[in-house]
Amino acid sequence: MYQTLNLWRHNLGEVPPAVWQQTELRVLILADNGLTAIPPDIARLRHLRTLDLGHNALTSVPEELGGLTDLDGCLYLHDNHLTRLPDSLGTLTRLRYLNVGENALTRLPETVGRMTGLVELRAQHNRLTALPDAVGRLRCLRELWLRGNAIEDLPPSTGDLLELRHLDLRENSLTAVPQPLAGLPRLRQIDLRGNRLRHLPDWLAAMPALEKLDLRWNPVDPSLPLLHRLEQRGCVVLT
């Protein structure tokens, strides 16, 4: 049984120093406590496997977070006031789930490409205009959630995400379906709602695993023969 400390919604304001003495913790939940800072003392919790710092008021997280190399479950940093992530996150090579959504991030660090254990990455509702090219190194990634940013295209390396199943690009600034998606053999669902798409590439019909294509709130002609071909082969198309 993992040693867990659950301090969710305890109105702490700051983390009690005694928490950093519990060095055998495996799961630490500090969500929704009005926290404005996490001290470097977090580095003492070297056995943590899951850490929840979501729903706080953090403007930064310390570089020492990268020292928690036993993290192999989830890291929640969502719903804070973060404007950047430390490069040291790249050392968390065993982490499977990372949520940095609902912040004020303008970029993800290149070092995110070293987080090769990631299965799910959530960066929704930030201020991203692009992804680092290193994202293509996340060869285990199955879900990528990018809703509510200002992304105009995806880097060529996105075509290396051969395990990707779900891609959420809703409410971004796309004027074309990103070409690197064409070769993804397991991509089942693409959410493109609320972009600026007028034209669709023919290669969409050749995507072998595509089950759902959501194009609502785009100026796309719903009578396009391409969309008919997709529906004929069993893909759900929403326009």
Side-chain angles (χ1 to χ4, degrees), residues 223-239:
S223 66
L224 287 173
L226 168 66
L227 300 182
H228 180 64
R229 291 202 304 273
L230 280 168
E231 290 185 318
Q232 276 189 318
R233 51 160 258 201
C235 180
V236 174
V237 178
L238 300 174
T239 58

Side-chain angles (χ1 to χ4, degrees), residues 164-167 184-191 204-215 227 229-238:
L164 196 65
R165 268 75 161 173
H166 182 99
L167 177 60
L184 297 184
R186 294 181 175 85
L187 189 55
R188 297 173 183 167
Q189 298 186 358
I190 309 176
D191 192 341
L204 279 171
M207 296 187 72
L210 193 60
E211 296 176 351
K212 182 178 180 181
L213 178 64
D214 199 333
L215 297 165
L227 300 182
R229 291 202 304 273
L230 280 168
E231 290 185 318
Q232 276 189 318
R233 51 160 258 201
C235 180
V236 174
V237 178
L238 300 174

Side-chain angles (χ1 to χ4, degrees), residues 102 121-129 131 144-154 166-178 181 189-197 212-218 238:
E102 291 88 38
L121 172 58
R122 291 181 175 252
Q124 69 282 356
H125 296 296
N126 278 284
R127 299 173 186 173
L128 304 175
T129 57
L131 296 182
L144 180 56
W145 299 77
L146 298 167
R147 176 182 178 179
N149 282 284
I151 292 171
E152 298 177 357
D153 202 358
L154 296 178
H166 182 99
L167 177 60
D168 186 351
L169 287 166
R170 181 177 176 179
E171 296 163 10
N172 275 281
S173 301
L174 298 169
T175 57
V177 181
L181 304 183
Q189 298 186 358
I190 309 176
D191 192 341
L192 292 163
R193 280 177 284 180
N195 279 278
R196 303 170 188 172
L197 305 176
K212 182 178 180 181
L213 178 64
D214 199 333
L215 297 165
R216 287 176 286 177
W217 312 313
N218 282 284
L238 300 174

Side-chain angles (χ1 to χ4, degrees), residues 6 12 32 44 52 57-58 61 82 105 112 117 119 131 157 171 190 196 198 203 227 231 234 239:
N6 186 350
L12 296 176
D32 206 357
R44 298 178 185 174
D52 189 349
L58 302 172
V61 289
L82 302 176
L105 301 172
V112 74
V119 173
L131 296 182
S157 69
E171 296 163 10
I190 309 176
R196 303 170 188 172
R198 291 183 178 276
W203 51 255
L227 300 182
E231 290 185 318
T239 58

Side-chain angles (χ1 to χ4, degrees), residues 73-93:
C74 305
L75 175 57
Y76 301 92
L77 298 172
H78 61 294
D79 192 19
N80 278 286
H81 305 308
L82 302 176
T83 57
R84 63 174 297 273
L85 298 173
D87 289 340
S88 63
L89 286 189
T91 62
L92 305 181
T93 58

Side-chain angles (χ1 to χ4, degrees), residues 62-80:
E63 290 283 342
E64 286 79 5
L65 206 60
L68 303 179
T69 54
D70 276 5
L71 283 172
D72 61 1
C74 305
L75 175 57
Y76 301 92
L77 298 172
H78 61 294
D79 192 19
N80 278 286

